[in-house]
Amino acid sequence: MYDVCMKVFFTASRQGRQYFDYYYQEILNFLDKAGYNNINREYLQKNDKIVEEELKKFGKKGYSVQNKLLVEKIHSADICIFECSFQSLTVGYLIEKSLESDKPVVGLYLENHIPNFLIGLENEKLQMVEYTKDNLTSQLKASILKAIFLTDKRFNFFINSNMLVYLNKISKKLGVTKSTFIRNLIDEYKKNNP
């Protein structure tokens, strides 16, 4: 039923731990018990004071390194899961990076804690899922299964340098990834040639 080799990137607001840590831990425990490879597990478990000292020690470079590391983890993940009950610009930024990377994203939030800044996002790979203390596990299971269905399958091919230059230029102009541009071309062709 589950793809236990699947790499999952899970995170939430570190500042939100004081309010929602119980739920963060429930999600972490579920991922562990189900056998998923949670590639960001240590991030939420680090002591806030230690993290703050590490970042202060390295200044702007420390924040830059941390952000780069989180984005690299997102790129290597199969699916991304975020607990969004505590509104956070960092979590919003990481969700946006996940969607830019064409990753299926599960945004979980506790009932009555609607993440207003995320609810309006429309993306076929984004699921915003409300849960209660009683149904967190079942909501998580269902949303992960849906996310697994949305994972992309890798397909590599070669193109000549002229095509690559054009592909880079047009994807930047349209504000989409090269993969998204190619998928859109295939979708358009399918519509015209069923």
Side-chain angles (χ1 to χ4, degrees):
M1 185 166 161
Y2 297 115
D3 183 355
V4 293
C5 297
M6 179 163 286
K7 292 182 191 173
V8 174
F9 176 91
F10 167 64
T11 200
S13 168
R14 293 179 61 80
Q15 294 167 334
R17 285 198 299 191
Q18 62 183 313
Y19 307 105
F20 301 103
D21 194 53
Y22 170 83
Y23 301 103
Y24 296 2
Q25 296 308 315
E26 288 293 305
I27 294 166
L28 287 167
N29 291 337
F30 170 82
L31 294 173
D32 287 346
K33 286 178 187 172
Y36 291 110
N37 179 7
N38 182 3
I39 60 175
N40 196 44
R41 186 175 222 304
E42 74 287 348
Y43 178 76
L44 283 175
Q45 295 184 314
K46 279 187 178 179
N47 180 290
D48 286 339
K49 288 184 180 180
I50 292 172
V51 171
E52 195 174 306
E53 288 172 12
E54 287 174 357
L55 292 173
K56 281 183 181 177
K57 180 179 171 184
F58 296 105
K60 288 181 183 177
K61 185 176 181 182
Y63 287 99
S64 177
V65 168
Q66 179 186 10
N67 289 343
K68 185 176 180 182
L69 178 63
L70 289 171
V71 171
E72 285 173 1
K73 287 180 181 181
I74 285 169
H75 287 298
S76 70
D78 295 307
I79 64 172
C80 298
I81 301 172
F82 298 90
E83 206 300 332
C84 306
S85 299
F86 188 87
Q87 302 217 22
S88 162
L89 290 175
T90 302
V91 170
Y93 168 79
L94 294 173
I95 288 173
E96 189 63 33
K97 285 295 178 189
S98 302
L99 293 172
E100 282 177 14
S101 299
D102 221 25
K103 303 294 178 179
V105 173
V106 177
L108 300 164
Y109 61 96
L110 184 61
E111 66 176 340
N112 301 320
H113 293 85
I114 297 170
N116 302 331
F117 64 101
L118 293 172
I119 290 299
L121 281 179
E122 291 185 19
N123 187 303
E124 64 186 18
K125 296 235 175 164
L126 174 65
Q127 301 175 66
M128 293 304 298
V129 180
E130 183 178 73
Y131 67 88
T132 65
K133 187 174 185 178
D134 296 330
N135 74 2
L136 173 58
T137 301
S138 63
Q139 290 288 71
L140 190 53
K141 282 180 188 177
S143 57
I144 288 174
L145 288 175
K146 185 175 178 183
I148 289 170
F149 179 75
L150 294 172
T151 56
D152 291 333
K153 307 300 179 231
R154 184 167 294 278
F155 176 70
N156 295 324
F157 66 99
F158 296 98
I159 59 175
N160 67 41
S161 59
N162 290 336
M163 288 179 166
L164 182 59
V165 168
Y166 179 78
L167 186 56
N168 284 329
K169 189 170 143 182
I170 195 70
S171 63
K172 282 183 183 177
K173 180 180 177 183
L174 296 174
V176 297
T177 65
K178 294 182 285 268
S179 300
T180 300
F181 178 75
I182 293 170
R183 278 193 298 275
N184 290 343
L185 287 177
I186 293 170
D187 284 340
E188 189 62 34
Y189 187 84
K190 276 174 47 180
K191 284 179 194 173
N192 296 327
N193 301 284

